[in-house]
Amino acid sequence: QVQLVESGGGLVQAGGSLRLSCAASGRTFSSYTMGWFRQAPGKEREFVAAITWSGGVIDYSDSVKGRFTISRDNAKNTVYLQMNSLKPGDTAVYYCAAKSAVVVTRIRYDYWGQGTQVTVSS
């Protein structure tokens, strides 16, 4: 089992920045591909970004590419999502997820956090 706890969400004006953190506990964190997803009201959950255990392969959705940066610190069992140039359309609950895999992927994650709210005002 892997437990994931997100933090860092909040209210920010358009154009601003936030950094989300996801602290993991349980099985060996460094062996997991980590991902960030988000779900806006009335919409399906969507992929945001993912990073392999080594940090060597990273994937972003087109909607956040160039604005968001995913990173991880295996020594701290933590994955981050730096979000810059935020837009009202980025408003959503953001979820951290872990998958026992050596490749980056957008689907079929094994463990999920409880989510953290990000609200971007215009």
Side-chain angles (χ1 to χ4, degrees), residues 1-3 24-32 77 100 111:
Q1 285 285 347
V2 175
Q3 292 78 43
S25 61
R27 289 179 178 264
T28 305
F29 173 76
S30 61
S31 65
Y32 283 77
N77 287 357
S100 181
Y111 304 100

Side-chain angles (χ1 to χ4, degrees), residues 78 81 111:
T78 302
L81 186 68
Y111 304 100

Side-chain angles (χ1 to χ4, degrees), residues 5-112:
V5 179
E6 302 95 336
S7 61
L11 173 64
V12 64
Q13 288 188 333
S17 299
L18 282 175
R19 189 175 83 154
L20 305 183
S21 299
C22 173
S25 61
R27 289 179 178 264
T28 305
F29 173 76
S30 61
S31 65
Y32 283 77
T33 286
M34 300 298 297
W36 285 97
F37 294 77
R38 66 186 183 186
Q39 187 167 20
K43 295 186 177 181
E44 293 187 353
R45 185 166 56 194
E46 65 172 352
F47 169 80
V48 174
I51 185 169
T52 53
W53 69 272
S54 67
V57 180
I58 291 174
D59 184 26
Y60 295 102
S61 69
D62 288 344
S63 61
V64 307
K65 195 173 297 182
R67 301 188 298 122
F68 290 11
T69 302
I70 188 172
S71 62
R72 66 190 294 165
D73 185 338
N74 289 339
K76 295 182 178 180
N77 287 357
T78 302
V79 63
Y80 305 97
L81 186 68
Q82 178 67 44
M83 306 185 295
N84 298 329
S85 301
L86 283 162
K87 306 174 182 179
D90 295 318
T91 295
V93 177
Y94 282 72
Y95 297 91
C96 172
K99 180 175 177 63
S100 181
V102 297
V103 297
V104 72
T105 179
R106 297 186 176 195
I107 61 172
R108 298 178 185 164
Y109 277 71
D110 303 308
Y111 304 100
W112 295 84

